[in-house]
Amino acid sequence: VIKGSMNDCSDERCKKKTKQEAEGLQVTAPQDFSSGGFASLPTDVLISILCRSPASDHKSLRDTCQAFRATIDSDAYKGERASSGWAEVSTHLLSGGELYDRDFPNGPEDVSLSDGEVEEGDTEEQKAATLTAKKMIKRADEMSEYGYSSGLGCRDQDYGYRDITIDVQVDGKRCGSISLVLLPRGTQHNYPFHEAADAHSSEMQSVGWSLCDSAGRLKVRSIKDFELISGEAGKGGFLHIKSVRISEAYHQMGCTNVVAEAVRYALSDPKLRGEWTLATAISDYEVYMNKEDMELKRKVRYGNEGTAEEKERVDRRFGECAMLDTKTLLRVGLKQIPETVSEKQSPYWLFALPPFLNDPIKSFEEVDQIPLIEPPDLPPKPTGVDAEILDVMKRSCNAMRQLLDSVSSEKLELDKIEHHQFTPFAELEAQLEELRALIEAGKPDHISEASWEEISARLEENEEKLRVHRAAIEEAIEEVVRRQRDKLKNDMDVKIPNIVEELQTKVTALVRKGGSIRKSHAIHCCSRLRITQFIDFLIDMVPPEERAQALSSLDTCGITPLHCVVLGTPEVRDRDEYVDFVERLLGMGADTNVKSARGVTPIGQYRLTMTDKFEFGNVFGMRSGDEPAGWRPFHIKMEVLLRPSQGETDEDIEAKCAVLDNDVDPDESDDDEDTWMDDDEDGNENENDSMMDMDEENGSDEEQEE
């Protein structure tokens, strides 16, 4: 019996359980069995015999004797049931009403009977019945108001997504739950998918924005390829597995049987049939972490305590548990999403289409043979002196970026003040001008000479006051502007050189101690924030034979300096800064053909960034001047600069920004490419020049009105 029971274990690691481990997990039970027979057998033998019994017999077995009861209630017994495949797993999708009752176990609050609702002579039973009826009415109202009236969990009132809870039962007892979210993408692609994902949670925002466009259409090639078979994944319900939490007694020693069955039953629930066409999940280390692991995690991660050995143990355990959850999802039928592979120790992203669930659940041995796509081997994080160089670069780059942005913003504000300083007087000036025109037209007959002279005197008095006020304000504004421009000049002439000098001193000293600019990824850091004041010095500090590699090598995140430049989202005022820095790196020898860990060259990374920029604008509103048409010359310029000489990768082509690529020919003349460069030094179009051009061609607004 023992041998047969162990042979049924579907997880190899579960078979390694020893008798001592099983006894260590059991619930203490009396050992003085005078009756003999089964009850007197060793605990591990008794577990192996009883674990084959159906769940329907457990109550009778528990009532037989204390030994049976202690055995069936023990974690060792539950673990054996799970690992041997005898555990009976079932799920139940909670309706909105059931969720309401769970969230509000005491029912609606502040419900009482008023005098008009109780008849004189009503008994206590009648009053209780009336109060119960009133509570039921309020319960129904609250369920409708808060979205609990749905048969599929709780429905959001604004975006219509549903938070779904599925209870997991093993051997007839609730032992955990699975949380899902269902976003109802429409067939007409008019559902605000990104807006809904962002409103739900940060995880849904990450998943939704990475896999779909703002209307919910797929933008990931690996899923699109499978969609060609089913033709449905690009529309219909988008289901995401938020969390799976099941009692650790059923996944001891990394056994994945119960969790895999529970997830499969949850996705295949009859109430969800036809409701979703694409399901996704991110591997979650917490599914398989035990209480000891969680305590150590809290100590190391949140308490800032723990030794280096404990921190290493936590990181290792995170990886093991995340891999177990990944293998569980593969057993269920999900497949890996290759496009989401980026860094080491990042969670795996997986997806499923409804047809994936038609096959039986895979065994652990089967999924062990499925190769997972791993990120490429990337350089290790800088250590020692190299880490010190990177730390200096981070602090210096952040300080310089803040100063440059502050200078740029203040210059814009000063320009606005100088151009619009008399705006508050515009209405008063218009009124006085209108009154002056009436006086010059002559005195009307119905106004006396005295009144007319008084009106003229008041006009002259008000005009004089206006001139005085204008002069005073003009003088005050000029003084303010002068002081601010002196401050800006000081920032440009003193603070910026000081930051540069401090950086050069520190980095030079660290390089002399044996540090490496290339191995520290200092150029990547500088490129990420586009600090032109640092880049020449850094390149000079790299030995000539290493410069080409330093300008085109991948860092620990799997990107090159060119990728770093276009990783940040450009704004109107700094887009020329992006072009200038890209041109500078290319002039130094940066290679546009190097692929990142995601498989995109710098042109593909630029396209991804711009797509995200406009999708974000579609959801939260475009800033003034941020419309796609205004970015067209910049886009053409960047496409020309970043075009890989060896051709674009499939990932680059897939990443094309549809908003900007409509009717755009990358081979347009340089004259068209440079038109946006006519903006002023802060990256904003000179409004006065534009208005002068319009006035010359069309005349002023007043002339047109005449």
Side-chain angles (χ1 to χ4, degrees):
V1 170
I2 298 171
K3 183 178 179 182
S5 143
M6 294 303 290
N7 284 340
D8 283 334
C9 177
S10 58
D11 284 6
E12 188 63 34
R13 68 193 67 216
C14 296
K15 297 177 183 179
K16 297 178 182 178
K17 241 181 346 178
T18 64
K19 172 182 176 181
Q20 289 77 14
E21 289 170 336
E23 290 176 344
L25 291 169
Q26 70 175 338
V27 175
T28 303
Q31 297 297 317
D32 183 19
F33 307 128
S34 56
S35 59
F38 277 138
S40 63
L41 290 174
T43 303
D44 58 335
V45 177
L46 192 58
I47 287 174
S48 299
I49 295 173
L50 294 181
C51 79
R52 296 168 174 268
S53 59
S56 58
D57 288 345
H58 281 181
K59 184 179 183 304
S60 299
L61 289 170
R62 291 180 77 257
D63 293 340
T64 301
C65 63
Q66 290 183 357
F68 279 19
R69 174 176 301 213
T71 300
I72 292 175
D73 289 344
S74 69
D75 284 351
Y77 179 79
K78 295 173 183 176
E80 185 67 23
R81 290 271 294 179
S83 63
S84 61
W86 289 101
E88 299 175 19
V89 182
S90 62
T91 58
H92 171 65
L93 192 154
L94 299 181
S95 66
E98 291 173 309
L99 277 177
Y100 177 90
D101 293 335
R102 180 172 292 182
D103 293 342
F104 305 98
N106 297 323
E109 298 180 353
D110 302 327
V111 180
S112 60
L113 296 177
S114 60
D115 293 339
E117 295 173 323
V118 180
E119 297 290 339
E120 187 176 352
D122 280 355
T123 63
E124 291 300 322
E125 290 78 7
Q126 290 173 323
K127 291 179 181 179
T130 304
L131 181 61
T132 300
K134 188 173 181 180
K135 286 185 176 180
M136 293 300 293
I137 293 173
K138 186 171 182 180
R139 176 180 182 274
D141 292 340
E142 288 186 349
M143 285 178 58
S144 177
E145 180 181 357
Y146 302 139
Y148 288 98
S149 56
S150 164
L152 284 176
C154 183
R155 183 179 185 276
D156 180 74
Q157 301 297 300
D158 295 323
Y159 298 103
Y161 58 73
R162 301 171 189 272
D163 283 304
I164 298 170
T165 299
I166 296 179
D167 277 350
V168 178
Q169 297 179 335
V170 179
D171 294 334
K173 294 183 179 180
R174 182 178 182 274
C175 66
S177 64
I178 297 174
S179 297
L180 312 172
V181 58
L182 178 64
L183 276 68
R185 296 178 300 172
T187 56
Q188 301 301 318
H189 299 298
N190 55 1
Y191 180 69
F193 185 77
H194 281 175
E195 194 172 341
D198 180 74
H200 183 273
S201 63
S202 59
E203 180 172 321
M204 275 310 304
Q205 181 195 49
S206 177
V207 172
W209 288 61
S210 298
L211 303 183
C212 301
D213 64 14
S214 57
R217 292 179 291 253
L218 291 172
K219 61 181 186 182
V220 177
R221 172 53 55 192
S222 59
I223 305 180
K224 282 184 176 181
D225 290 341
F226 281 101
E227 185 197 14
L228 296 176
I229 301 173
S230 67
E232 297 293 329
K235 55 187 178 182
F238 185 106
L239 187 69
H240 181 67
I241 302 174
K242 293 191 296 181
S243 66
V244 178
R245 297 293 181 266
I246 294 176
S247 170
E248 66 180 75
Y250 293 103
H251 52 75
Q252 301 172 45
M253 306 295 291
C255 178
T256 61
N257 291 343
V258 169
V259 181
E261 286 188 58
V263 174
R264 168 62 76 90
Y265 293 156
L267 297 180
S268 305
D269 192 284
K271 292 182 181 179
L272 288 175
R273 190 169 296 131
E275 295 289 337
W276 62 273
T277 57
L278 173 64
T280 59
I282 299 177
S283 59
D284 180 5
Y285 62 84
E286 290 194 19
V287 175
Y288 286 97
M289 290 191 80
N290 56 37
K291 292 179 181 178
E292 182 184 353
D293 296 329
M294 297 302 291
E295 285 297 328
L296 186 58
K297 169 199 166 188
R298 280 188 285 269
K299 175 183 176 182
V300 171
R301 290 293 175 93
Y302 305 126
N304 293 322
E305 302 175 4
T307 64
E309 183 180 348
E310 287 177 326
K311 292 179 180 179
E312 183 180 350
R313 175 186 165 191
V314 168
D315 289 338
R316 184 171 61 252
R317 184 62 179 154
F318 277 11
E320 293 171 353
C321 292
M323 180 57 70
L324 276 174
D325 190 43
T326 302
K327 296 292 181 69
T328 301
L329 295 170
L330 291 173
R331 290 190 64 185
V332 172
L334 280 74
K335 301 182 186 299
Q336 187 183 8
I337 305 175
E339 292 85 349
T340 59
V341 176
S342 56
E343 304 175 34
K344 292 288 186 184
Q345 297 183 336
S346 293
Y348 294 94
W349 292 35
L350 302 98
F351 79 100
L353 307 182
F356 292 3
L357 307 184
N358 294 335
D359 297 329
I361 295 178
K362 296 180 177 65
S363 68
F364 194 89
E365 289 75 12
E366 286 180 290
V367 299
D368 237 357
Q369 303 304 314
I370 297 177
L372 288 172
I373 299 173
E374 300 284 355
D377 289 330
L378 300 173
K381 290 183 178 181
T383 58
V385 182
D386 294 339
E388 293 182 47
I389 293 177
L390 182 59
D391 184 61
V392 169
M393 282 301 306
K394 287 179 179 178
R395 287 188 277 107
S396 298
C397 286
N398 283 327
M400 182 66 82
R401 184 75 268 163
Q402 291 175 7
L403 181 58
L404 293 174
D405 289 345
S406 174
V407 168
S408 177
S409 298
E410 288 184 26
K411 287 175 67 177
L412 285 174
E413 290 301 318
L414 291 176
D415 290 342
K416 289 179 181 178
I417 290 173
E418 288 185 323
H419 293 156
H420 307 290
Q421 55 183 317
F422 298 119
T423 302
F425 296 106
E427 185 176 351
L428 180 57
E429 287 177 332
Q431 293 175 356
L432 293 177
E433 286 292 335
E434 184 178 352
L435 187 55
R436 171 61 65 186
L438 291 174
I439 289 177
E440 290 176 353
K443 181 182 76 68
D445 296 337
H446 64 280
I447 298 179
S448 65
E449 286 291 343
S451 298
W452 188 248
E453 290 177 1
E454 183 180 355
I455 292 173
S456 300
R458 284 186 180 178
L459 174 61
E460 292 177 359
E461 180 183 352
N462 287 330
E463 287 177 335
E464 181 60 26
K465 286 182 179 179
L466 179 60
R467 282 192 292 271
V468 172
H469 281 301
R470 282 175 60 96
I473 290 178
E474 181 178 10
E475 183 178 353
I477 289 177
E478 286 178 353
E479 178 62 21
V480 171
V481 170
R482 184 187 63 77
R483 288 200 303 267
Q484 289 298 106
R485 292 207 181 276
D486 288 343
K487 178 180 176 298
L488 291 180
K489 188 174 186 303
N490 180 70
D491 289 344
M492 299 292 290
D493 295 344
V494 178
K495 289 187 177 181
I496 290 178
N498 285 346
I499 295 176
V500 173
E501 183 179 355
E502 182 182 0
L503 171 83
Q504 291 177 349
T505 301
K506 291 181 178 179
V507 170
T508 301
L510 291 171
V511 170
R512 286 173 179 169
K513 288 172 60 177
S516 167
I517 297 295
R518 176 177 63 82
K519 294 179 181 179
S520 68
H521 309 308
I523 296 175
H524 293 75
C525 181
C526 178
S527 300
R528 179 64 180 84
L529 295 180
R530 308 175 308 283
I531 310 298
T532 56
Q533 293 82 356
F534 296 164
I535 190 65
D536 290 333
F537 162 74
L538 293 175
I539 293 298
D540 289 341
M541 295 296 292
V542 179
E545 65 274 11
E546 292 185 12
R547 288 178 184 174
Q549 186 179 2
L551 284 164
S552 302
S553 62
L554 301 180
D555 64 1
T556 53
C557 295
I559 53 179
T560 70
L562 275 177
H563 288 90
C564 289
V565 179
V566 296
L567 195 63
T569 304
E571 301 295 339
V572 171
R573 71 181 185 185
D574 57 18
R575 54 190 178 186
D576 55 337
E577 194 177 273
Y578 280 76
V579 172
D580 290 343
F581 206 92
V582 168
E583 289 179 330
R584 188 178 291 245
L585 288 179
L586 292 175
M588 293 175 173
D591 189 352
T592 58
N593 296 292
V594 182
K595 296 187 292 184
S596 70
R598 292 187 62 177
V600 294
T601 67
I603 196 172
Q605 182 60 62
Y606 160 74
R607 291 167 177 172
L608 290 171
T609 298
M610 295 305 291
T611 297
D612 287 344
K613 172 184 177 64
F614 289 111
E615 287 183 349
F616 186 88
N618 289 335
V619 174
F620 299 104
M622 293 281 187
R623 295 182 182 179
S624 177
D626 241 2
E627 294 77 12
W631 285 89
R632 184 172 178 270
F634 169 82
H635 178 62
I636 296 172
K637 184 78 173 179
M638 293 294 283
E639 287 275 327
V640 171
L641 287 173
L642 297 173
R643 186 181 301 163
S645 60
Q646 298 175 10
E648 298 179 11
T649 66
D650 292 339
E651 290 80 3
D652 291 338
I653 297 171
E654 189 69 24
K656 281 197 172 184
C657 182
V659 175
L660 292 175
D661 282 327
N662 288 336
D663 303 323
V664 169
D665 181 5
D667 295 318
E668 290 189 31
S669 67
D670 290 340
D671 293 337
D672 287 340
E673 295 166 15
D674 292 333
T675 53
W676 72 274
M677 298 288 277
D678 295 333
D679 298 351
D680 64 19
E681 62 183 7
D682 295 305
N684 292 305
E685 186 178 350
N686 191 311
E687 296 179 3
N688 292 337
D689 292 345
S690 300
M691 292 300 295
M692 289 174 61
D693 293 341
M694 290 176 61
D695 289 346
E696 291 175 1
E697 294 176 10
N698 304 320
S700 66
D701 291 342
E702 290 80 7
E703 292 171 346
Q704 292 185 44
E705 187 173 340
E706 283 185 354

